[in-house]
Amino acid sequence: MRHRIMLGFTLLLALTAVLALPWFALQEARRQAYNITGEIAMGLARDVLHRANETSRQSLVAFQRMQKVATAPCSSAAVAVMQQLDLTSTYIQAVGYAHDGQVLCSSMASVPIRLGAPAFYTARGYAIYADVTLLEAGHTPLLALGGGDFFVVIHRDLPLDTWTTVPGVSLAVFHLDRPVGQGPLLAHGDVSPSWAAHVASQTAGSTFTDAKHLVAVLRSQEFRLSAVAAVPIGYMHARERDIALRLVPGGILAGIAVAATILLLARQQRSLAAALKYALRRDEFYLQYQPIIDLASGHCVGAEALLRWRRPNGESIGPDLFIPVAEQTGIITRLTERVLELIQADTGAFLARAPHFHIALNVAAKDFQSGRIVPMLDRFLERSGAAPSNLTVEITERTVVDLEKARGVLLQLRARGIAVSLDDFGTGYSSLSYLEALDVDHLKIDRSFIEAIGTRAPTSQVVQHIIAMARTLKLCMVAEGVESQAQADFLETHGVQYAQGWLFGKPMAFNELTETYRMWEPPKVRSGERSHRE
Ligand SMILES: Nc1nc2c(ncn2[C@@H]2O[C@@H]3COP(=O)(O)O[C@H]4[C@@H](O)[C@H](n5cnc6c(=O)[nH]c(N)nc65)O[C@@H]4COP(=O)(O)O[C@H]3[C@H]2O)c(=O)[nH]1
């Protein structure tokens, strides 16, 4: 059943990878196409706004200039200034003077201009004439801006005269003082009335899409004007297709590769799990013991039992590889049983004679959490004749899934006199809260913090904080992974009692350990601290 669930889950994961990566590629193509088209539309809106701003600026300069003319508004001197302004301005077609709606003179002296009624007045009091005609030419694409009695004539297309290779682009200039319902002041192409609401609500620049266009709106910071440029939505879809054609095949290939990797890993894991079961039957596991040293006396106070797997072909597989698989497949309980059997076989009568010497064994989450470890250890003590003080159970933050249950198991172990050690301390997210919640005997300071001692690594100071905290809690400390005398000296000076690492010895066979190290000295009890055996 469990096997079927795992298989179903693996297939689902592989299928998700196959579908998800092309889907992400499509989303990416959509995002890129929107950005590219939006950039084009915004570039055009910027261009239009620049031209509209420049038109307004030149108009204001013309009004100021005309108001400074000292002679009568239609004197030959004044008309000469009008003509000069007309000739030197890039966006103004004509400058003139009107009174009571009647054009009395202009820079185009011979061409009669009719302004018509103002379409609206700007907030600053300028009149906008939307239907300017030249009497001899009939309706013309002109509009005029009136400042006092002077006016300037502007060609409607000039602010919109931008260049682009994108077909079907629509452009518009909205005057924000014009009622929204009246639409844009200038327009070219297919301008939707619904854009006016977007224009009115924009204070800077933005893009949006409607059924037919991707629209960019850009607000002038100088005048009450907004420029709009709209690129047909079909253009964006075409870009999306182009990009998708490049990205999606890659997404499909990546999806297949990830799915294949998932299936391969699952297969490897299944075959590793099968090999583990076979190895248990064939006795391919053995233990190595790494000495734990009392830093003050140099005596060996215990050893950590580390499981090893040697296959019949001589290949060694590290615990980092097979323990996670054993945990995931439920084989770990049989492995823990095997570890206890091996400890008994390796230590023989030694433990019964050495109550101050302890074996530290790693216990997996499943065995600890379920409480199964307690009867397992009881059976071990009964079979081997060892004392509870001969055992230390090492748990990590990963081991503790449910704090309440873990606390119950921990109390049962401590009630028997079996010590509990919190391993890899400081590497998890909530080591501190685990320390508060669980009344452990020892704290194992993780190798990564020991490595950092005396270096410029950002974690180099962490070890001192861990030590200070452990001392406040009157916890016994074991430093893991001590490789140099300098590290050992530092730890001893700062009050760490025990250490383990290559400086003192790599993991080895149990008889080698008993032959190499001085054993029988009990660890020293320092005032104010609990001994690791207390
Ligand atoms: N670089 C360096 N490394 C040092 C030094 N001193 C010790 N080590 C290594 O650090 C690891 C310490 O074990 P751990 O933190 O309990 O971490 C253990 C433990 O979590 C797990 N493990 C080992 N045996 C068992 C077991 O019987 N049961 C369970 N559940 N897990 C086990 O596998 C992990 C890895 O074990 P190992 O590969 O034996 O690796 C061991 C040991 O060989 C040193 O000075 N320098």
Side-chain angles (χ1 to χ4, degrees):
M1 184 63 184
R2 184 195 169 94
H3 178 70
R4 278 207 188 141
I5 293 174
M6 285 303 287
L7 187 69
F9 180 70
T10 308
L11 289 175
L12 190 72
L13 209 63
L15 188 71
T16 310
V18 169
L19 297 176
L21 289 175
W23 182 81
F24 281 127
L26 261 182
Q27 296 307 311
E28 180 59 15
R30 207 160 282 164
R31 193 188 66 81
Q32 285 189 20
Y34 186 96
N35 285 351
I36 291 169
T37 315
E39 274 299 311
I40 293 172
M42 195 48 91
L44 288 167
R46 213 172 284 128
D47 206 2
V48 168
L49 191 65
H50 167 76
R51 297 170 83 90
N53 276 340
E54 197 50 38
T55 305
S56 305
R57 223 173 281 132
Q58 289 185 9
S59 304
L60 295 191
V61 169
F63 293 144
Q64 282 165 4
R65 186 75 201 285
M66 291 314 301
Q67 260 134 28
K68 281 188 191 146
V69 173
T71 58
C74 282
S75 66
S76 55
V79 172
V81 175
M82 288 177 196
Q83 284 167 341
Q84 195 190 341
L85 283 167
D86 181 352
L87 274 174
T88 51
S89 309
T90 40
Y91 290 95
I92 295 174
Q93 307 296 317
V95 183
Y97 178 81
H99 193 66
D100 284 343
Q102 289 296 313
V103 176
L104 300 183
C105 61
S106 81
S107 55
M108 303 198 310
S110 55
V111 183
I113 301 168
R114 194 167 65 202
L115 293 176
F120 67 97
Y121 284 90
T122 70
R124 288 188 200 166
Y126 295 102
I128 306 289
Y129 300 90
D131 286 313
V132 177
T133 51
L134 301 180
L135 289 186
E136 287 168 2
H139 180 76
T140 49
L142 300 173
L143 62 78
L145 177 64
D149 283 339
F150 291 102
F151 65 88
V152 293
V153 177
I154 295 151
H155 196 292
R156 285 172 169 277
D157 290 344
L158 212 49
L160 305 177
D161 190 20
T162 60
W163 183 87
T164 174
T165 53
V166 180
V169 164
S170 306
L171 304 168
V173 174
F174 283 78
H175 199 293
L176 300 172
D177 292 333
R178 191 177 207 196
V180 171
Q182 289 183 23
L185 189 57
L186 307 170
H188 166 82
D190 180 14
V191 175
S192 164
S194 66
W195 298 349
H198 283 278
V199 169
S201 65
Q202 280 311 311
T203 51
S206 72
T207 53
F208 65 92
T209 53
D210 64 10
K212 294 200 291 188
H213 295 95
L214 185 151
V215 188
V217 180
L218 194 59
R219 170 95 175 251
S220 168
Q221 300 305 312
E222 201 179 343
F223 301 102
R224 303 260 311 143
L225 296 172
S226 274
V228 171
V231 175
I233 205 89
Y235 179 85
M236 184 173 86
H237 291 327
R239 292 288 72 71
E240 194 179 315
R241 274 193 299 278
D242 291 347
I243 299 168
L245 277 174
R246 275 190 284 117
L247 294 187
V248 173
I252 293 172
L253 285 180
I256 292 171
V258 171
T261 311
I262 290 169
L263 293 174
L264 198 77
L265 284 176
R267 196 163 154 244
Q268 261 180 11
Q269 198 185 40
R270 269 211 315 284
S271 57
L272 196 59
L276 269 174
K277 283 184 194 157
Y278 191 64
L280 270 168
R281 283 201 300 273
R282 298 261 309 235
D283 254 343
E284 292 174 12
F285 293 101
Y286 66 99
L287 284 177
Q288 285 195 319
Y289 299 82
Q290 188 174 32
I292 299 171
I293 303 295
D294 176 16
L295 282 169
S297 69
H299 289 176
C300 176
V301 294
E304 180 176 3
L306 294 159
L307 194 57
R308 301 287 180 255
W309 178 13
R310 189 182 300 118
R311 304 195 71 176
N313 61 3
E315 180 196 6
S316 284
I317 302 178
D320 282 337
L321 201 69
F322 67 81
I323 294 285
V325 177
E327 284 179 358
Q328 281 156 26
T329 51
I331 301 169
I332 191 70
T333 307
R334 282 162 66 194
L335 269 187
T336 310
E337 289 277 16
R338 179 57 51 89
V339 167
L340 289 167
E341 284 164 18
L342 288 169
I343 293 175
Q344 191 181 347
D346 291 339
T347 56
F350 179 88
L351 295 180
R353 290 198 312 267
H356 295 297
F357 183 89
H358 74 278
I359 300 282
L361 70 147
N362 292 281
V363 175
K366 212 165 163 240
D367 294 331
F368 191 80
Q369 213 48 68
S370 64
R372 252 196 308 260
I373 189 65
V374 181
M376 277 188 201
L377 295 182
D378 283 346
R379 279 198 298 276
F380 169 81
L381 294 176
E382 206 181 308
R383 279 194 317 253
S384 65
S389 59
N390 285 132
L391 288 180
T392 292
V393 165
E394 289 198 358
I395 56 170
T396 64
E397 217 176 281
R398 279 189 307 117
T399 321
V400 181
V401 183
D402 177 335
L403 261 180
E404 252 338 284
K405 277 192 188 163
R407 201 182 288 143
V409 178
L410 196 132
L411 286 176
Q412 288 182 56
L413 292 174
R414 294 199 62 196
R416 284 162 170 74
I418 298 173
V420 178
S421 177
L422 191 56
D423 200 1
D424 301 342
F425 186 78
T427 54
Y429 293 114
S430 41
S431 300
L432 208 57
S433 58
Y434 281 80
L435 200 60
E436 272 176 354
L438 301 171
D439 188 14
V440 295
D441 302 83
H442 307 163
L443 197 81
K444 284 193 97 167
I445 307 170
D446 190 68
R447 175 149 50 95
S448 54
F449 301 119
I450 307 301
E451 260 172 21
I453 292 174
T455 68
R456 288 168 175 267
T459 48
S460 61
Q461 303 301 313
V462 176
V463 71
Q464 298 191 41
H465 297 298
I466 295 177
I467 293 171
M469 191 182 56
R471 292 183 71 162
T472 311
L473 295 171
K474 295 196 167 37
L475 275 175
C476 191
M477 288 167 275
V478 183
E480 271 189 315
V482 178
E483 293 183 358
S484 71
Q485 191 56 50
Q487 290 168 344
D489 292 344
F490 175 94
L491 292 163
E492 198 196 343
T493 315
H494 285 80
V496 175
Q497 300 90 338
Y498 306 103
Q500 179 185 346
W502 293 350
L503 175 68
F504 309 104
K506 289 194 172 178
M508 61 189 83
F510 191 73
N511 58 358
E512 192 187 337
L513 184 112
T514 50
E515 282 160 17
T516 315
Y517 297 87
R518 282 186 292 157
M519 295 285 170
W520 304 107
E521 299 283 338
K524 288 194 172 62
V525 180
R526 298 168 200 195
S527 60
E529 281 166 359
R530 259 177 8 206
S531 153
H532 83 292
R533 291 287 92 197
E534 220 172 274

